[in-house]
Amino acid sequence: MTIQGSRRSASLIRRAAVIGSGVMGAGIAAHLANAGMRVLLLDVVPQALTAEEEKQGLTLADARVRNRLAAAAVGRMGKAQPAQLYDPAWTARIMPGNLADHAAELGEADWIVEAVVERLDVKREVFAAVDAHRRPDTIVTTNTSGLSAASMAEGRSESFRRHFAVTHFFNPPRYMKLVEIVPTADTAPEVVSLLREACEKRLGKGVVIAKDTPNFIANRIGTFGMLVTLEDTLGYGLTVEEADALTGPAMGRPKTATFRMLDLVGLDTLLHVVDNVRERSENPGERAVFARPAVLERLVAGGRTGEKAGAGFYRKIKGKNGSEIESLRLDTLEYGPRRPVSSPVIDAAKAAKGTAAKAKALLLTDPRDRYARFAWSTIKKTLLYSAEQVGVIADSITDIDRAMRWGFNWELGPFELWDAIGLRRSVQQMKEEGETVPEWVEALLADGRESFYKTDGERRLYAAGSGYEREEQEADAIALAALKASGKTVLSTAGASLIDIGDDVVCLEFHSPNNAIGGDILSAIRRSVKEVEQNWRGLVLANEGRNFCVGANLMLLLMEAQSGEWEEVEDIIRFFQASMLDLKRLERPVVAAPHRMTLGGGVEACLPADQIIFSPETYFGLVETGVGLIPAGGGCKEATAMAAERALAPGGGKQAGDGDVQPQLNALFETIALAKTSSSGYEVGRLGLMRPQDRVIMRQEARIAEAKRAVLELDRAGYAPPPEKRVRVAGREGKAVLKVAVQAMRLGGHISEHDALIAGKLAHVLAGGDVRPGAEVSEQYLLDLECEAFLSLCGEAKTQQRMSHMLATGKPLRN
């Protein structure tokens, strides 16, 4: 890999090295391994033996001791929660070592990431060692959260400086989308492009280009927002609970809001960030804003640094009925029981649909309300500060908005939020209140531009200079919302829409509450099948919701069951089954592209597809037993068919054409009976729910585009729907084997009597009922077994209790 003016590909980055095996270093190493890279993980050599090492007779010269820190980090990866690796077996891709003994091996790395302590002197010392051993073309990056990139590269070789930049991963590296790339004046442009490609395409990240300023983009804006929220909480006399109720989902922010977020970040960490901005800022006003808040200093001085210390703005204590959360009283710095918060303003924000509507409700329901005035004050200050930073911390408003969405999980970035509440109206109010509005915002309004963003067909434009520029679209991304806004909707119901995504391919998007499958979605599926069959080359199943689909409409089923409307329940199941069969028998290719939670009915909607394109963060599982039921939308039928196909495939059974169904059936029965869910798209295969044609792509945002490509490839190959086949089943003997396992679990006290009842009915369906072993049955026969078992379980009081409990709490009930 050599930079010689020609652009090299990120696919050629095969070997990486990470220096520093702490939380961030280990997390980055794990995610590089997730991307298929071979990773060398290095740390310092320990200066003393542990008691266990002394007991084993080891010395400081032993490799096990010298590599201890990195080896321990690798050992923790397979058991970490949340999981760092998509597959625990991928720890084999990471080799632990130490910087003293293995520095020469840095010469084999295509990319070296430094992630040691946030001290400039220590980082410079590490980079001196790196510079001495790296290849001339090796890229070197630092994972600093705010130190000066230029200062770290001082004194290094020209080659090092041309290949050096910041890659600021957010924690945890696997799950957080944002990576801030910060080049220096010496960084070669092609290196920035290569890093961007590697982070986006190989690691599945969202990249923003930041300037080399204190704390870059997200932490700079986010920390400012936290500081002004703390200031206004004190100024308006609010409690921490009240402030969190107003600055969380009601404002389009995460549930952790402000003070819970501060506890998670660590109050000492926040003070470090505050100091970094204040000490490096040349703006007196900014230095005043980033002064150390007295309450934070007192809490940190007392060891109350947040969750890691067990106490911060909240603390957890053991009470009579288990753990209880107490909140800090800001006037006394003592703790007391959390107090509920409610008001018409908060209720209005909760009831509003969408972040823009919530923000308007929060600010405008009663502008004189103390809560509304507090919310306006914090939002106003954050918007103005963000506008002041354009050109300072980033060149465009889009990089600032993306950084806050991807790094702090805001639903809307500051400029998107400003548009949502009304740019001209809010600026007028700011000026009436004596605020100074940045000149470029004033100029934008004077020029007749009423918003920071506008749309032009399917693309979004953002305000830049004297006009608008096209927002750079993420590579391989298809935005359904933009397509709908440009009139590409083919048909729509309350729960789903069919959208033209180009090249004569359409996408069926679920958009019911939680994307739960009900009659509206099923009707859309059946209408879409007819439409696609007549007019389109193929169909993609995907959406842009928080989750792909959390299952069927449980509330509807429970209401019908409790009313004894058994014919209605059966009609719902038959309608579901028929809709899935329509998808499976569609004479055009169907490709599903699930993401995040894809549970129960969501899985059953994917299995009829000719191919499934999983995003890495897909949590996939047939979980119906958790609510006292079994899959009945074709899930059991498809599992039985998968077991038969694997048994008959070469290597799948005793021999090709004469496979033993039982081993495959046993594994799938365990997966479904225990309601197992994958912890990643890659783990779906280990659960037995991935077929040979299915695959995982690294970039979640590319899943719809990749599914579209798969549809077109199937179409070009001369697609024909799979013929209906009879399914070979294990029969009554296979069912007996499964029931013996269930009985053993019951006698061992591992499952309840009701669990055993559910598992017995599941065994009956998956084995194909009481037919002879090896019998071949129709798909409809298996669907009939599913329906019968489902109906009988719906009539069980304990199943109805489980359904009610899940609806009320979101958690399964064991009864």
Side-chain angles (χ1 to χ4, degrees), residues 143-270:
N143 185 60
T144 180
S145 60
L147 295 180
S148 167
S151 296
M152 282 183 273
E154 282 180 9
R156 302 277 55 83
S157 67
E158 180 185 358
S159 170
F160 181 102
R161 296 196 310 274
R162 283 179 55 78
H163 291 79
F164 177 75
V166 170
T167 47
H168 179 209
F169 290 81
F170 275 60
N171 190 35
R174 168 181 163 179
Y175 299 96
M176 293 300 292
K177 182 174 178 177
L178 180 62
V179 172
E180 294 175 318
I181 293 179
V182 187
T184 71
D186 295 326
T187 310
E190 52 266 44
V191 168
V192 177
S193 296
L194 184 60
L195 280 171
R196 180 167 210 150
E197 182 186 356
C199 290
E200 288 180 344
K201 294 188 176 180
R202 296 290 303 279
L203 303 182
K205 298 301 176 187
V207 170
V208 298
I209 305 299
K211 292 181 178 291
D212 192 7
T213 56
N215 298 102
F216 313 132
I217 301 174
N219 280 343
R220 181 82 163 261
I221 302 290
T223 300
F224 177 88
M226 291 178 182
L227 291 175
V228 298
T229 300
L230 174 57
E231 178 185 50
D232 283 347
T233 300
L234 295 168
Y236 282 88
L238 270 59
T239 65
V240 296
E241 298 101 318
E242 289 173 319
D244 276 354
L246 292 161
T247 60
M251 203 177 277
R253 311 278 173 80
K255 291 181 180 179
T256 47
T258 299
F259 291 102
R260 177 69 181 125
M261 174 68 79
L262 285 170
D263 279 354
L264 291 172
V265 169
L267 308 191
D268 53 342
T269 300
L270 180 71

Side-chain angles (χ1 to χ4, degrees), residues 503 537 589 708-719:
D503 297 311
R537 294 171 70 180
K708 174 184 165 181
R709 275 193 285 271
V711 164
L712 293 173
E713 287 171 8
L714 288 167
D715 178 64
R716 280 192 290 267
Y719 178 80

Side-chain angles (χ1 to χ4, degrees), residues 602-669:
V603 173
E604 292 177 305
C606 291
L607 292 177
D610 298 291
Q611 187 176 9
I612 303 174
I613 306 291
F614 294 97
S615 77
E617 300 301 340
T618 306
Y619 317 127
F620 198 80
L622 291 164
V623 297
E624 286 85 350
T625 59
V627 290
L629 299 168
I630 68 163
C636 288
K637 180 257 294 181
E638 291 294 330
T640 302
M642 277 192 270
E645 288 171 6
R646 288 171 189 159
L648 295 171
K654 294 176 182 177
Q655 60 183 27
D658 189 27
D660 182 3
V661 176
Q662 195 69 52
Q664 306 293 339
L665 188 65
N666 292 346
L668 281 165
F669 172 75

